[in-house]
Amino acid sequence: RIFGPDLNVLAQLSDTVLTVLESIKGTEIELDALTALRKSSVLNIIPDKAKLNAYGLHLDDANLLIETAMAGQHVGSFYSDNWRYPIVVRIAEEHRNSLAQIRNIPLALPDGGSIVLSDIASFSQDTQVTTISHSNGKRYAGLSINLDGRDVQTIVQEAKTKIATQVTIPKGYTLDWGGQFENLHNAQQKLMIII
């Protein structure tokens, strides 16, 4: 795990460390399925309060429209035998992935008629970190190292050496080794106490 405060720095460090670890023979490195930082395309819809006021609308009206269209709004349930199925209203998947369709979602005016969402909001597409993992209140990026014919101890020692010489870890960022290596380290500590 790579711990640190800035998500973009964490993502960059994760990619750099991944490249270094891939050069170690006997390992298969991948972004951890659950804890890796993931970047995804994100659509930002920013309502314009002045335009909302000009049409006699509230920010809640725009937010409810966007939430209903994109995430869906539970409107009831359908019962069949002993099963209950929720009824959710939202726009179809192919329209949710089209910026032109989203811009043209109609919004009812209080005095009748309608306008489209683009009349009261601006749109931008961006790539942002969408998966953030925390441990003990700190953000981290997780990498998974799978072994192929080598022991944990020598691979971790080689990995630590390569990372120390090839990667500059900024102040405020730390690396933590867990999993089988952590179990091995704990077992060695207990064995030393016993001996």
Side-chain angles (χ1 to χ4, degrees):
R1 292 180 178 178
I2 305 168
F3 288 89
D6 186 286
L7 294 175
N8 290 322
V9 174
L10 276 177
Q12 183 182 11
L13 277 172
S14 178
D15 291 342
T16 305
V17 170
L18 178 74
T19 303
V20 170
L21 294 177
E22 285 177 332
S23 70
I24 298 173
K25 188 176 180 179
T27 62
E28 181 184 310
I29 314 299
E30 58 188 27
L31 295 174
D32 191 279
L34 299 175
T35 63
L37 288 179
R38 303 233 192 276
K39 287 193 172 189
S40 301
S41 180
V42 176
L43 174 63
N44 297 309
I45 304 173
I46 301 105
D48 184 316
K49 290 180 184 176
K51 290 179 181 177
L52 285 166
N53 288 337
Y55 286 107
L57 297 168
H58 299 282
L59 187 57
D60 289 344
D61 299 325
N63 286 337
L64 181 61
L65 173 73
I66 294 165
E67 179 185 352
T68 301
M70 303 306 288
Q73 191 74 12
H74 183 266
V75 294
S77 298
F78 170 74
Y79 296 90
S80 177
D81 297 326
N82 291 332
W83 295 93
R84 187 181 117 209
Y85 300 96
I87 299 172
V88 177
V89 174
R90 67 174 161 250
I91 61 175
E93 184 74 31
E94 63 270 12
H95 300 300
R96 281 187 285 154
N97 292 326
S98 167
L99 181 57
Q101 295 288 342
I102 293 168
R103 293 174 59 83
N104 289 318
I105 296 173
L107 176 60
L109 294 172
D111 296 329
S114 66
I115 57 172
V116 292
L117 189 55
S118 62
D119 288 338
I120 54 99
S122 60
F123 300 80
S124 66
Q125 286 186 297
D126 196 4
T127 301
Q128 296 178 356
V129 174
T130 54
T131 304
I132 305 170
S133 297
H134 291 83
S135 179
N136 295 325
K138 294 181 182 179
R139 295 175 174 175
Y140 73 89
L143 296 172
S144 181
I145 303 172
N146 299 308
L147 308 180
D148 185 17
R150 291 185 63 192
D151 68 284
V152 174
Q153 182 76 32
T154 55
I155 284 182
V156 171
Q157 290 306 327
E158 184 179 344
K160 284 182 175 183
T161 302
K162 285 192 171 201
I163 290 170
T165 58
Q166 297 178 26
V167 180
T168 302
I169 306 293
K171 185 177 180 182
Y173 294 81
T174 58
L175 272 67
D176 181 44
W177 299 85
Q180 290 178 359
F181 175 73
E182 184 178 25
N183 294 339
L184 175 65
H185 181 71
N186 290 340
Q188 287 173 339
Q189 294 291 70
K190 286 179 184 176
L191 187 59
M192 290 299 291
I193 291 170
I194 292 170
I195 291 176

